[in-house]
Amino acid sequence: MTTVYAVVDSPLGALLLVGGTSATANGGTALASLSVPGQKGGAVVQDGWRDDPAAFVEIGRQLTAYFEGRLTRFDIEYVDGGTAFQRRVWQAVEEVPYGETTTYGKIARQVGTSAAGIRAVGTAIGRNPLLVVRPCHRVIGADGALRGYAGGLERKERLLELEGAPAS
């Protein structure tokens, strides 16, 4: 699979999209990463990757609609990645509806992890390579406070405000 990338503008700043060709993906590209400048653990363009904005037209269209408040759920194919535990956590995160929030503790219970596993859930959420489209910004602290976000708490707050979600 050829790795392609593009940089698109957004209200959060430049977004680096990384993906691979896929015969089954809407638009022909499966998304491997969506990151922002300065993101902890964010993607960095590698030698051999091809700059191909045309590969991300459909994904860009959906992002634009989301940021304009016209899209509440993405229809994007993702490149498989992460550990089995991370994938369970990420699946639980994807189930949090637009405009709503949940807590790290609720995600931990949903994936069958004890209270002691909340830190592992937080780590898995922090390793989400698909900011915005896999809505880890919707996960907040039990006290309602915003907690860690690889893209920065200011961006997390902006996304929650865009969605009209409750945030402290």
Side-chain angles (χ1 to χ4, degrees), residues 94-143:
E94 288 180 17
E95 293 170 8
V96 180
Y98 180 95
E100 296 182 23
T101 57
T102 192
T103 66
Y104 293 93
K106 287 179 183 175
I107 296 286
R109 286 189 296 280
Q110 190 174 341
V111 300
T113 301
S114 68
I118 291 174
R119 186 177 302 258
V121 165
T123 299
I125 290 171
R127 292 194 176 140
N128 170 22
L130 301 167
L131 293 190
V132 182
V133 297
R134 183 180 288 141
C136 54
H137 58 276
R138 296 178 189 154
V139 184
I140 60 175
D143 60 358

Side-chain angles (χ1 to χ4, degrees), residues 28-152:
T29 301
L31 190 63
S33 175
L34 188 158
S35 56
V36 295
Q39 176 183 326
K40 179 182 174 185
V44 177
V45 175
Q46 305 290 315
D47 288 339
W49 289 8
R50 190 177 80 237
D51 185 4
D52 188 0
F56 296 95
V57 168
E58 174 57 24
I59 294 168
R61 183 193 65 73
Q62 290 187 46
L63 285 165
T64 297
Y66 168 80
F67 286 120
E68 291 176 350
R70 297 182 292 111
L71 182 77
T72 61
R73 187 158 183 87
F74 292 94
D75 181 20
I76 296 173
E77 182 178 309
Y78 306 137
V79 173
D80 287 333
T83 66
F85 177 74
Q86 287 171 336
R87 287 191 302 272
R88 283 199 332 265
V89 170
W90 296 341
Q91 177 61 45
V93 167
E94 288 180 17
E95 293 170 8
V96 180
Y98 180 95
E100 296 182 23
T101 57
T102 192
T103 66
Y104 293 93
K106 287 179 183 175
I107 296 286
R109 286 189 296 280
Q110 190 174 341
V111 300
T113 301
S114 68
I118 291 174
R119 186 177 302 258
V121 165
T123 299
I125 290 171
R127 292 194 176 140
N128 170 22
L130 301 167
L131 293 190
V132 182
V133 297
R134 183 180 288 141
C136 54
H137 58 276
R138 296 178 189 154
V139 184
I140 60 175
D143 60 358
L146 300 185
R147 302 271 185 244
Y149 185 65

Side-chain angles (χ1 to χ4, degrees), residues 1 20-30 77:
M1 171 173 63
T21 54
S22 169
T24 57
N26 188 3
T29 301
E77 182 178 309

